[in-house]
Each structure stands twice: as C-alpha cells, then as structure tokens.
Amino acid sequence: MRPALVVYAVTAALHLALLAAMSGPDDPGLRKRLLAWDGGLYVDIAEHGYPDSFSYGEDGRLTGNNLAFFPLFPILVRVVHTVTRLDHGTSGIAAAHLSLIAALVVTHRLVDRLYGRRTATVALVLLAGAQPMALAFLMSYSEALFLALAVGTLLAAHRHAWLTAGALAFLTGLTRPAAAAVVAALAVAAGLHLLRERRLTWRPVAAVALGCAGTPLYLWWVGQRLGEPGAWFRIQEAGWGTRWDNGAAFLDFLGETLRRGEGWVAVSTAVLLLGLLCATFLTWHRGTWPPLLVYGTGIVVLTLAQSNYSHSKLRLLVPAVLFLMPAARALARATDRTVVLSLTAATLFGCWYGAYMLTAWHYAI
C-alpha cells in the first residue's frame, strides 16, 4: 500500500499545484475547477436526485439531463457527505480522491502479480501522473471510481475470487457504460479458468452473470422512470451527441486535424491519441495477461468508436491502464537514473498538460 500512497500524494500535490499556478486572477478557484462540468452534475445528483422526465430546450427539442450519468459515484458522494458532513461539492472531490487511492492500491497489486513490484510502481506513476488527462482522477468525476472497481475485478479474477470479481463487475456497471469492457475481461478470465480446470464450476459462471447485470439494470430503471425502453440512449445522444459510429467521427477528427494542423489543442490531442493507440497495439505482442488485454483494448475501442466530443477522449481513456504497460515494463528494466529522469519528465508533462487543458481549453474535460 505504501507505493500507492506515495504516488498519490506526490502526483496529487503536483497536479493541484500546477492547476493553481496556471489559473489567472479572474479564474474560478481551485475547488470550482475540480467541480467543473460533469463534476457539478454528479454533485447535483447526489444532492437532489435524478429528474423524473425528459428535458427540452426553449425550441422544444430534446436535451440531455442528469439521467445520462450512472448512479454509483453520486451514491458515494452522498455517503461521504453523510459520514463527514462536508458540503456536497467537497464530498464529490473527496470521493474522487478516496477512489483514486483505492485504484492505485489495487492496480499496484495486480501489476505486481503480473510483472513484478518494480514494474507495478513505475506503472502507478505513469497512471496517476504522466497520463495527459490524469488530472480527471482528482476531480468530482467517476473515472477514479471506475478504475478502482475495474482493476479490482481483474485482481479478484486473477486470484480466482470469482464472486468478489462478479460483485465488483456489477458495481462497475453502475458506474459507467464502459463496464462492458470489464465484463468481457471477466468472461475471458472465467473461460480460461474453466478450460484449465476442464470441468464446469458454478462460481466463475455466476460471476460473469452477475457482472452482466449492472449496466442493463440502470438502463432498465431509466426506461421505467421515463416510460420508454431506450430513454437513456435518447438522452445521451441529445445531450452529448454520443452514439456508436464505428470510429467515423474519430477518423474525421484525425484527418481534419492532421491535414490542417490548426491549433495546439487539436493537434496535441490527435497526436496523443495516436500514441496511446500505438501503445495499445504493442501490448498485443508482449505476452499480456488476456483479461487485461481485453479490458484495456475494450476501453480504447469503446472510446474511439463512439461519436462523442473528440477532445474529451483523452480523459475517457485514463482508466484503460493497458497502454501504459509497454513503457512501464521497459522502464522497469532500465537503470535507476533513467527511471527517475524519465518518470520525472513524463509526470511534469502530464500534470502540466492536464492543467493547461483545464484552464485554457476546458472543453477537453
């Protein structure tokens, strides 16, 4: 647990210090930055609950509302508020930080089991500090909670604690719809276990069945609340333009951005997304544990193959973990000097980039 706590303390302090330093005198304070956009919506759900109808604009067109956001993170915010008596906004930030600590602990344990302690520690620094939008882990967003539950599912599956894995996958499904990647990874882990055992046992099967129930349960609840089975999908597309398009919007963004080369934000986003995509491809040639491969690749595919706003995709990818493994494993074999210099430079860049995007181009979050 110590490496996770140290990495959390150092990276969180650096993220917040740079964010504060890069905010101008007329900018909102640090607390408001950490509650920006979806962060405020999660807090609103925790404080006031969900709406009970569709929402419409002044022109009569359907708009998005808070039913687009899955319930587990707002529940956690409400629990923190109830226990600590902090206001709901501060409770949202605290819930994200607690989730990040849990995520770093389980990630360190999983990577340690797979590749050794040195690789695990390097991976934590890359995860919490060097990723371009790792700052989102510290905001009142659900990314840190999703990461904790997703990697917890993989860790439990690796230990063959099947019912625990199923319960965590179920909770992941109540956190974000990207839990489909977690369920697929759990199914692969269960299938590999059953093949090795050469007999059918009920616990792995029950784990997969339980994991499959989380997201459909919430989608069903929204449909029942609004009297329309596909209500969640209508709200999501109306509010955020999110729909499955097989990556057409992403490819259009890449082509347009790289062809015109206009604007640092767009170009840097495109280049970084391509870099993460290439790193994901590399993991298919390095003996990666199949469930981790399925989970990470699933997150990448689900993020890039949907039509949501391209600049937010770096934030949506931060829980993937997989594409960090080639760099983590390579650095773990390097000298201490190389590791320290590389991680310091990467972390400074990641913390600066997140602070820059949040202060100069807040649509990226």
Side-chain angles (χ1 to χ4, degrees):
M1 181 176 290
R2 182 177 297 178
L5 294 176
V6 172
V7 169
Y8 161 76
V10 173
T11 57
L14 188 55
H15 275 299
L16 297 178
L18 283 175
L19 181 59
M22 294 177 67
S23 298
D26 298 326
D27 288 345
L30 189 60
R31 181 177 181 277
K32 287 187 177 180
R33 289 286 191 194
L34 300 179
L35 291 170
W37 294 93
D38 294 358
L41 300 179
Y42 278 120
V43 169
D44 184 66
I45 295 168
E47 188 171 4
H48 302 113
Y50 283 106
D52 56 8
S53 63
F54 287 108
S55 300
Y56 297 90
E58 294 180 357
D59 58 358
R61 292 185 180 182
L62 181 68
T63 62
N65 65 28
N66 286 352
L67 284 166
F69 298 94
F70 278 48
L72 195 63
F73 185 71
I75 291 172
L76 179 60
V77 174
R78 185 173 294 181
V79 169
V80 173
H81 165 72
T82 301
V83 171
T84 65
R85 305 315 303 171
L86 295 168
D87 64 85
H88 284 87
T90 305
S91 296
I93 298 170
H97 283 243
L98 292 172
S99 298
L100 178 58
I101 292 171
L104 294 177
V105 169
V106 295
T107 301
H108 190 268
R109 291 182 178 176
L110 176 64
V111 180
D112 186 7
R113 290 173 67 93
L114 294 175
Y115 303 116
R117 187 176 182 86
R118 186 175 171 89
T119 302
T121 303
V122 172
L124 286 197
V125 179
L126 296 175
L127 176 65
Q131 287 199 91
M133 291 305 297
L135 177 60
F137 286 138
L138 304 175
M139 301 177 67
S140 183
Y141 272 59
S142 63
E143 268 74 13
L145 179 60
F146 180 85
L147 175 63
L149 294 169
V151 179
T153 300
L154 296 176
L155 178 60
H158 197 267
R159 291 176 170 175
H160 299 163
W162 296 112
L163 296 185
T164 299
L168 291 172
F170 173 81
L171 293 175
T172 308
L174 295 177
T175 307
R176 299 185 70 88
V182 181
V183 175
L186 178 57
V188 169
L192 291 174
H193 174 75
L194 293 175
L195 285 174
R196 284 193 300 268
E197 294 293 310
R198 295 186 179 181
R199 62 190 180 93
L200 184 63
T201 54
W202 69 272
R203 288 176 185 269
V205 176
V208 175
L210 181 58
C212 287
T215 295
L217 179 63
Y218 179 66
L219 299 182
W220 172 85
W221 180 82
V222 173
Q224 290 293 110
R225 190 173 181 85
L226 301 186
E228 181 178 322
W232 183 86
F233 295 97
R234 286 190 62 198
I235 292 170
Q236 186 74 1
E237 184 166 357
W240 290 268
T242 301
R243 65 184 184 280
W244 186 267
D245 69 351
N246 296 313
F250 171 63
L251 293 176
D252 287 345
F253 166 74
L254 282 183
E256 186 71 13
T257 300
L258 298 179
R259 182 170 60 254
R260 294 181 178 272
E262 295 179 355
W264 153 256
V265 170
V267 172
S268 66
T269 299
V271 170
L272 287 168
L273 286 172
L274 283 174
L276 297 181
L277 193 58
C278 290
T280 301
F281 287 142
L282 286 177
T283 63
W284 285 81
H285 303 285
R286 293 180 178 267
T288 310
W289 184 47
L292 177 59
L293 194 63
V294 169
Y295 163 69
T297 304
I299 294 294
V300 172
V301 171
L302 289 170
T303 301
L304 300 185
Q306 296 187 71
S307 62
N308 47 20
Y309 192 54
S310 295
H311 294 83
S312 68
K313 290 186 185 296
L314 286 172
R315 188 259 300 176
L316 295 171
L317 285 171
V318 292
V321 178
L322 177 68
F323 48 64
L324 304 175
M325 290 300 103
R329 296 177 70 182
L331 283 173
R333 296 190 295 268
T335 64
D336 290 345
R337 176 183 172 84
T338 299
V339 171
V340 171
L341 291 176
S342 299
L343 290 182
T344 299
T347 299
L348 286 173
F349 171 77
C351 293
W352 169 82
Y353 190 87
Y356 174 83
M357 294 297 270
L358 197 58
T359 54
W361 187 258
H362 52 272
Y363 296 106
I365 201 66

